[in-house]
Amino acid sequence: MLPFLRIGPFTLQAPGLALLVGVWIGSWLAEKEAARLKLNANDIYNLIFYGLVAGIVGARLAYATQYLSVYLANPWSLIALTPATLSPNAGLIVGIAVAALFGWRKRLPLRPTLDALAPGLAAFMIAFGLAHFLSGDAFGAPAYAPNSVALPWAIYLWNDYRHPSQIYETIAALAAFAVVWKRPFAKPGDGVNFLLLVALSAGARVFLEAFRGDSMIWIGGFRAAQVIGLLALAASLWLMRVWAQRELQSAQML
């Protein structure tokens, strides 16, 4: 793990730096894909920018409400550059809502816009996995063979030998990026490439969650991420089928 990076007199948060690089590369790829799909690249960039800013603000405010007395005592901590003091789920919801509103106001076509975002989002997910590895977050479950000997690829973290779940996550993200970059299905701009990314990522989450040591467990012993992943996988596959049928019907009418 490498939570901090020292450059001369400066100390940088390595996970935050990885995320910033991921945002930069992802935005660049999305702009390139937008131009290829004959969309306004500036609108796509602004959609990402406003969605990202709103997501960060929403994630910080949602986290602050959980520790309201702490932030009331020190309001300046609201602007601290600390990724750990964010509520990811709340930030995701707020960010998507603002990005969707921006796209609607700009009259951006839904399916081409989603396909334009796909390669950039896939690249960001690689950076997300690397950020987890650098920070030690999203750590793995203990990794031992039946004879109680640590597995050869286990890493020592948080006082135990654990599955390198962050590396698993990064490898899965790399594989998803490679598939999305090849655009194996349908024609460009029909939204299927974005749905393919969602399906691959959701499927990977369902599988890899079994190796996590910090999973949120719901009543009944179900892992929250696996349940959500299964729902996302089913929804993306269903929507792929619906859109494919509509494309076939449109082609038959011509």
Side-chain angles (χ1 to χ4, degrees):
M1 307 300 111
L2 184 65
F4 298 101
L5 183 64
R6 296 188 181 277
I7 302 177
F10 302 102
T11 301
L12 302 177
Q13 292 189 7
L17 183 61
L19 292 176
L20 286 175
V21 172
V23 169
W24 177 72
I25 294 176
S27 300
W28 178 74
L29 289 174
E31 287 184 84
K32 293 295 182 183
E33 190 70 3
R36 194 180 74 85
L37 295 174
K38 306 293 191 297
L39 297 174
N40 188 313
N42 286 332
D43 284 345
I44 296 298
Y45 175 84
N46 287 331
L47 181 147
I48 295 172
F49 176 78
Y50 289 124
L52 183 64
V53 171
I56 293 174
V57 173
R60 176 56 55 82
L61 292 178
Y63 184 88
T65 59
Q66 301 175 43
Y67 305 95
L68 192 57
S69 60
V70 175
Y71 284 92
L72 288 176
N74 183 19
W76 287 107
S77 58
L78 280 171
I79 60 175
L81 301 177
T82 309
T85 57
L86 298 173
S87 178
N89 293 333
L92 183 64
I93 293 171
V94 173
I96 290 176
V98 171
L101 179 61
F102 178 86
W104 175 73
R105 289 183 63 94
K106 288 292 183 178
R107 300 178 183 270
L108 290 172
L110 175 62
R111 290 160 69 176
T113 300
L114 292 177
D115 268 0
L117 295 173
L121 179 59
F124 176 76
M125 291 174 68
I126 298 172
F128 197 61
L130 290 174
H132 279 160
F133 177 75
L134 292 170
S135 66
D137 293 335
F139 56 86
Y144 291 93
N147 58 0
S148 299
V149 175
L151 296 175
W153 58 87
I155 59 174
Y156 192 75
L157 180 65
W158 308 134
N159 301 317
D160 207 347
Y161 288 97
R162 301 180 179 277
H163 282 282
S165 56
Q166 304 96 333
I167 296 178
Y168 299 163
E169 178 184 5
T170 304
I171 292 174
L174 281 167
F177 176 82
V179 173
V180 169
W181 187 255
K182 287 292 185 180
R183 309 178 190 92
F185 302 125
K187 62 182 181 180
D190 64 358
V192 172
N193 208 36
F194 177 84
L195 293 178
L196 179 60
L197 173 62
V198 174
L200 290 172
S201 302
R205 174 52 55 208
V206 171
F207 175 72
L208 295 178
E209 192 66 18
F211 301 99
R212 288 278 290 269
D214 63 342
S215 300
M216 179 185 294
I217 307 297
W218 283 348
I219 297 175
F222 296 102
R223 294 175 185 251
Q226 287 183 320
V227 175
I228 295 171
L230 283 171
L231 293 174
L233 176 60
S236 58
L237 292 176
W238 174 78
L239 198 52
M240 286 173 69
R241 180 183 178 184
V242 170
W243 285 357
Q245 289 176 340
R246 289 181 180 176
E247 288 292 332
L248 180 61
Q249 293 172 356
S250 298
Q252 291 175 343
M253 294 176 61
L254 296 177

